[in-house]
Amino acid sequence: MKTGILIAAMTMVFSNFGLGQAPAWPPSADHLTMSIWPGTPPGEKANMPPEYNVNAAGTKQMAGRPYIRLTNVSTPTIMLYKPTVKNTGAAVVVFPGGGYQILSMDLEGTEVCDWLNQIGVTCVLLKYRVPDSGPYPKSAAALQDAQRAMGLVRQHAAEWGIDPHRVGVLGFSAGGFLSAAVSAIYDKRVYDRVDAADELSCRPDFAVVLYPGYLALVEQNFAPNPEIHPTADTPPTFLLQAEDDPVHVENAVTYFMELKKAKVPAELHVFAQGGHGYGLRPRDLPIMGWPKLVETWLHTIKVLPAE
């Protein structure tokens, strides 16, 4: 199995970028990387343009540092980050943000995995398809990738030291919407079955939704998005957003109220300042304490052991 995964990862690298062309965001040799689809993803065209970092010049920055803004992702992958302290058995599939046009692969991806590893949580970083891959149902591509990734994590749970009943999701911005979408749309895959991984549940056991978009409809006075309808079976959810977020704090607040109506255990944090797209980059604002809030919540819902 491991040999097959490594071959798939090598095939992915060379098929996407070609000989002599450096990938825009290369898989790390320190972390297992695998393509999530055995062939062309559902609905995807063959021979798509290569991935590239639209912020290669470093003009967009957060906390004084540039960050990767990856686009033209047509071969989605997952990358495994194992805990650097005692493994708790919990796992989180991370969805970077980027408006379904780009992926903030370090700011809202690898840096988040490093933090999760430091609290004993396995991180599985999903590089999902962009651009124009969501939000669902405008496009099903990102949700297909998220559902598929959840099944694969559970399929490999024993091999990767993961408790299949403690697999959650964490997403930022568009990835935050994706966390909510896979938490609400899990009883049926939005693609045709591929293999045994698609027989396993793609429902997260918990969800962390950070400065999300698309959950409240601006053109309808911030009415709830009817496509994301929480039920009593929606997993426990943590929400966080800043009041001054240009993407609108109503996304988190409105979704929280929908969770409350459905009697889903949910926790909402709203801060006065923070803006959008900050990840874990250090800034002198109270909202930057959000990782500790998430960690405490994971203990509260018993995903992490009692302190």
Side-chain angles (χ1 to χ4, degrees):
M1 177 63 71
K2 289 183 178 179
T3 301
I5 290 171
L6 289 172
I7 291 173
M10 291 173 66
T11 301
M12 179 271 294
V13 172
F14 285 103
S15 65
N16 266 5
F17 306 114
L19 292 172
Q21 184 176 7
W25 186 76
S28 168
D30 299 331
H31 304 284
L32 177 68
T33 301
M34 62 183 287
S35 297
I36 66 172
W37 302 100
T40 302
E44 194 68 31
K45 298 176 182 178
N47 302 315
M48 296 294 287
E51 297 174 6
Y52 73 99
N53 176 16
V54 300
N55 195 34
T59 54
K60 280 193 173 289
Q61 299 192 357
M62 172 52 65
R65 288 189 289 137
Y67 57 96
I68 294 170
R69 305 177 76 238
L70 193 66
T71 194
N72 284 357
V73 176
S74 58
T75 304
T77 65
I78 51 177
M79 180 178 284
L80 179 67
Y81 282 71
K82 292 189 174 183
T84 51
V85 297
K86 183 180 179 181
N87 184 7
T88 64
V92 171
V93 181
V94 170
F95 306 140
Y100 295 111
Q101 301 305 307
I102 59 95
L103 299 176
S104 295
M105 289 303 297
D106 49 359
L107 174 65
E108 297 170 345
T110 56
E111 295 170 15
V112 180
C113 288
D114 289 341
W115 157 62
L116 288 168
N117 289 168
Q118 292 167 13
I119 61 172
V121 176
T122 297
C123 179
V124 179
L125 176 57
L126 175 63
K127 183 179 73 172
Y128 57 91
R129 283 172 281 173
V130 289
D132 303 320
S133 57
Y136 184 83
K138 180 180 178 181
S139 171
L143 181 56
Q144 290 170 343
D145 294 346
Q147 288 184 332
R148 175 74 177 161
M150 292 298 294
L152 285 169
V153 170
R154 289 196 166 103
Q155 184 181 51
H156 292 278
E159 177 186 351
W160 294 348
I162 293 169
D163 178 350
H165 304 293
R166 286 188 291 148
V167 179
V169 291
L170 183 155
F172 301 84
S173 193
F177 175 87
L178 191 53
S179 291
V182 78
S183 296
I185 305 169
Y186 55 79
D187 54 344
K188 186 178 185 302
R189 296 293 206 273
V190 293
Y191 58 90
D192 294 333
R193 180 189 182 279
V194 175
D195 54 31
D198 296 328
E199 301 297 327
L200 301 173
S201 174
C202 63
R203 174 189 178 274
D205 295 303
F206 57 93
V208 179
V209 179
L210 302 168
Y211 46 87
Y214 313 109
L215 291 173
L217 305 179
V218 178
E219 66 278 9
Q220 296 182 27
N221 197 28
F222 299 107
N225 185 333
E227 301 294 340
I228 310 300
H229 183 62
T231 69
D233 294 325
T234 298
T237 301
F238 177 102
L239 293 129
L240 177 135
Q241 200 155 12
E243 193 281 328
D244 66 351
D245 189 334
V247 176
H248 302 296
V249 71
E250 285 85 352
N251 284 283
V253 174
T254 298
Y255 187 56
F256 172 78
M257 294 307 298
E258 291 300 290
L259 292 167
K260 185 174 185 294
K261 290 176 187 175
K263 301 189 184 315
V264 175
E267 184 166 311
L268 170 66
H269 295 267
V270 174
F271 287 81
Q273 293 178 288
H276 192 80
Y278 36 85
L280 285 84
R281 298 276 175 97
R283 299 179 301 156
D284 188 20
L285 290 172
I287 199 168
M288 298 315 298
W290 71 260
K292 186 60 181 177
L293 295 174
V294 171
E295 183 180 353
T296 299
W297 178 73
L298 291 174
H299 286 287
T300 301
I301 64 172
K302 297 181 170 52
V303 165
L304 294 180
E307 294 183 290

